[in-house]
């Protein structure tokens, strides 16, 4: 019945409502893709709102974008791309049975996520220091804002980058979970479903950042 | 459900490495375009998003493995972008067809 090969360290017993381990794997993966659609629609809604208000108040958005440091965004883009590579590599290594190497790849992925969040922390605290808060909390006098509603730009900035940052934190926790399970020997070449799912989630974080970076930092 | 023959497709190490390298190169290209945005004028934003689109395609095809996935999963994920495009199109139509009204309500 089971398609798990005899050389596997632990045989994976699929749930009884599935035909086979492959059926379980494919069904789980399809569920992850459905979840990814909700992610696209959630961030997509924010992107559409950003475009609308950018169109209505181009000057205000330009003023806001000027206060963002492209070097921070650029560095973080490279960090996140590298982390996507190590995540994909981790799955590749588990599929090939190189679990020790996979542990290293997954640990590197978490480290990249941590670097990303540290940079975000410095960006946020610097902005708070300058009085660049979202919405009505923006200190117009301290900032010397040309546009009285500059807080709206920062509302978008904190909401979009904050929502993304929250995903990075959740992603790091999920990778830590699959890292622990990899060390415990739960996964092998024919059973690595949680790693695959977490991997797809981590890549979508990279995917969203690929669009957020030019949107927030470059196109003002 | 039409199950793919190659359920546990292993993406070649070289493909992963090339994808990563291409994503790095395209990020630098984004910056080069940004530093020359005064020359590009109105095209600066579309060019930045075009490069982002190519990067996104690389991530989806090789890192997320959609190139080797089932047609059903590709359709599911594609539908997300389709409905996002619908939202974007109707929002744009709304903005562009508004009649300017002077005065306050």
């Amino acid at each position: 019945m089971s398609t798990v090969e005899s050389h596997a360290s632990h045989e994976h017993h699929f749930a009884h409502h599935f035909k086979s381990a492959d059926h379980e794997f494919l069904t789980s993966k399809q569920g992850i893709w459905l979840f990814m659609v909700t992610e696209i629609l959630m961030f997509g809604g924010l992107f559409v709102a950003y475009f609308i208000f950018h169109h209505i108040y181009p000057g205000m958005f330009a003023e806001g974008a000027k206060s963002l440091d492209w070097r921070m965004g650029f560095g973080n883009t490279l960090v996140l791309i590298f982390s996507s590579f190590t995540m994909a590599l981790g799955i590749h290594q588990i599929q090939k049975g190189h679990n020790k190497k996979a542990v290293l790849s997954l640990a590197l992925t978490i480290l990249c996520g941590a670097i990303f969040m540290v940079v975000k922390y410095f960006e946020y605290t610097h902005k708070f220091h300058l009085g660049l808060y979202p919405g009505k909390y923006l200190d117009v006098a301290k900032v010397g804002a040309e546009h009285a509603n500059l807080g709206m730009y920062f509302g978008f900035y904190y909401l979009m980058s904050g929502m993304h940052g929250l995903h990075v934190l959740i992603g790091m926790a999920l990778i830590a979970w699959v890292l622990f399970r990899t060390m415990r020997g739960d996964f092998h070449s024919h059973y690595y479903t949680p790693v695959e799912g977490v991997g797809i989630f981590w890549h979508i974080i990279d995917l969203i950042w690929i669009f957020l970076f030019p949107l927030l930092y470059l196109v003002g | 459900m039409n199950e793919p023959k190659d359920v546990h497709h292993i993406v070649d190490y070289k493909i992963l490495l090339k994808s990563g390298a291409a994503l790095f190169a395209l990020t630098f290209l984004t910056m080069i375009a940004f530093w020359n945005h005064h020359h590009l004028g109105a095209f600066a934003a579309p060019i930045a998003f075009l490069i982002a689109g190519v990067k996104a395609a690389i991530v989806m095809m090789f890192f997320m493995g959609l190139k080797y996935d089932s047609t059903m999963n590709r359709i599911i994920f594609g539908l997300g972008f389709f409905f996002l495009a619908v939202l974007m199109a109707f929002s744009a139509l709304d903005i562009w067809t508004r009649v300017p009204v002077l005065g306050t309500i």
Side-chain angles (χ1 to χ4, degrees):
Chain A
M1 278 293 279
S2 171
T3 56
V4 177
E5 286 164 27
S6 55
H7 64 75
S9 52
H10 291 259
E11 195 155 319
H12 173 62
H13 297 284
F14 55 90
H16 68 90
H17 49 280
F18 292 110
K19 280 187 297 193
S20 63
D22 281 352
H23 183 211
E24 185 187 63
F25 173 76
L26 292 169
T27 309
S28 306
K29 206 169 161 183
Q30 192 161 75
I32 292 290
W33 281 114
L34 282 166
F35 169 41
M36 290 308 108
V37 171
T38 70
E39 291 283 358
I40 292 295
L41 292 177
M42 184 185 66
F43 278 100
L46 291 171
F47 273 90
V48 171
Y50 185 101
F51 284 128
I52 290 171
F53 286 103
H54 183 276
H55 178 81
I56 300 173
Y57 309 108
M60 185 184 84
F61 274 71
E63 190 190 353
K66 254 185 252 165
S67 59
L68 264 63
D69 190 346
W70 65 264
R71 286 168 296 186
M72 299 268 197
F74 175 63
N76 259 352
T77 305
L78 296 181
V79 167
L80 222 49
I81 287 171
F82 184 71
S83 79
S84 242
F85 168 71
T86 54
M87 184 74 229
L89 190 62
I91 293 169
H92 171 93
Q93 285 157 338
I94 291 177
Q95 285 175 318
K96 288 215 158 177
H98 304 147
N99 282 24
K100 278 187 182 165
K101 284 183 187 170
V103 166
L104 187 69
S105 298
L106 294 174
L108 263 175
T109 313
I110 298 175
L111 180 71
C112 287
I115 293 170
F116 183 92
M117 290 315 289
V118 168
V119 173
K120 270 265 102 78
Y121 169 80
F122 283 119
E123 279 187 291
Y124 274 25
T125 47
H126 180 62
K127 278 181 187 61
F128 295 156
H129 178 72
L130 296 176
L132 293 167
Y133 293 103
K136 66 173 183 180
Y137 301 105
L138 185 127
D139 196 334
V140 178
K142 191 176 172 185
V143 172
E146 290 168 43
H147 299 83
N149 284 326
L150 185 64
M152 184 192 221
Y153 171 83
F154 284 95
F156 273 111
Y157 169 75
Y158 287 116
L159 186 62
M160 295 174 91
S161 66
M163 190 73 93
H164 179 266
L166 187 67
H167 276 77
V168 173
L169 288 176
I170 294 168
M172 284 166 68
L174 290 171
I175 297 168
W177 169 60
V178 292
L179 170 71
F180 169 72
R181 289 194 61 185
T182 308
M183 287 169 74
R184 205 169 60 180
D186 283 5
F187 306 126
H188 50 78
S189 58
H190 278 76
Y191 177 68
Y192 53 91
T193 313
V195 198
E196 179 82 11
V198 169
I200 291 172
F201 180 71
W202 189 258
H203 295 313
I204 207 150
I205 297 171
D206 185 26
L207 194 75
I208 289 158
W209 183 257
I210 282 171
F211 288 101
L212 270 184
F213 169 57
L215 185 81
L216 295 173
Y217 291 82
L218 305 182
V219 180
Chain B
M1 193 171 76
N2 231 346
E3 292 186 7
K5 283 176 197 159
D6 190 12
V7 175
H8 298 284
H9 181 87
I10 302 177
V11 185
D12 194 57
Y13 175 74
K14 278 180 188 163
I15 290 177
L16 294 179
L17 207 61
K18 278 181 194 165
S19 304
L23 289 169
F24 264 66
L26 286 167
T27 306
F28 280 100
L29 186 66
T30 306
M31 292 319 300
I32 292 165
F34 172 64
W35 291 322
N36 293 298
H37 73 275
H38 292 296
H39 302 293
L40 299 170
F43 293 108
I47 287 172
F49 287 113
L50 186 72
I51 299 170
V54 175
K55 286 169 75 178
I58 293 171
V59 170
M60 287 190 278
M61 284 200 298
F62 305 111
F63 282 173
M64 296 174 116
L66 271 183
K67 190 177 190 289
Y68 318 100
D69 215 319
S70 64
T71 310
M72 178 59 96
N73 283 352
R74 281 198 287 265
I75 290 171
I76 288 172
F77 198 48
L79 274 177
F81 290 97
F82 170 75
F83 282 108
L84 180 59
V86 170
L87 174 67
M88 182 74 103
F90 278 98
S91 303
L93 265 177
D94 167 52
I95 302 285
W96 285 333
T97 54
R98 278 186 196 181
V99 179
V101 178
L102 298 172
T104 51
I105 301 165

